[in-house]
């Protein structure tokens, strides 16, 4: 999980620039991408923890295969589920709490059973390994947006 730890540390390194915005890159400021990324990590971990590994069923999903193979999310195509969308006004102290919670959750991911799972809205059931891969690709996507905002 070292790569995910590094990604979360990189997210934290952008806290000081969280109000930066570049409308040519994104309609929302950096703080939105930080908050969203942390919410995704935390909500997926919570879903994995609450899942029943005995109920995991493998399923074929063409778009999941494409996504995991290319490791690419096209910008502006997918819509974030409501539970991982930041509020209009993002509270900085809440953002710091989400960061700490995400760091704790990354550690939890190392202790979950392989068939822990969560239902992704586009890719179907993702087991633990797939979930970790999704989190890394998703976080990388938002880190790239943040970097482009700051160019």
């Amino acid at each position: 999980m070292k790569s995910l730890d590094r990604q979360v540390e990189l997210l934290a390194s952008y806290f000081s620039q969280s109000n930066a915005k570049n409308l040519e890159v994104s309609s929302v400021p950096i703080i939105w991408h930080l908050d969203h990324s942390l919410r995704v990590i935390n909500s997926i971990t919570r879903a994995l923890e609450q899942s029943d590994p005995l109920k995991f069923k493998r399923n074929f999903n063409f778009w999941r295969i494409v996504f995991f193979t290319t490791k690419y999310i096209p910008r502006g195509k997918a819509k974030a589920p409501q539970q991982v969308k930041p509020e209009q006004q993002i509270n900085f102290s809440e953002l710091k709490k989400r960061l700490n919670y995400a760091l704790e959750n990354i550690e939890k991911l190392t202790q979950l059973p392989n068939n822990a799972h969560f239902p992704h809205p586009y890719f179907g059931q993702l087991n633990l390994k797939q979930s970790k891969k999704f989190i890394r690709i998703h976080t990388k996507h938002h880190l790239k947006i943040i970097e482009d905002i700051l160019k």
Side-chain angles (χ1 to χ4, degrees), residues 1 14 16 19 22 28 30 32 34 39-40 45 60 71 95 98:
M1 294 310 306
Y14 291 116
S16 64
N19 290 323
N22 180 340
V28 294
I30 287 175
W32 189 97
L34 297 171
R39 284 174 184 262
V40 166
T45 303
F60 174 80
K71 299 178 185 166
L95 185 65
R98 278 196 233 330

Side-chain angles (χ1 to χ4, degrees), residues 15 38 91-102:
F15 274 31
L38 296 170
N91 181 311
F92 202 74
S93 65
E94 286 298 315
L95 185 65
K96 287 181 181 178
K97 287 179 187 175
R98 278 196 233 330
L99 172 72
N100 291 329
Y101 190 47

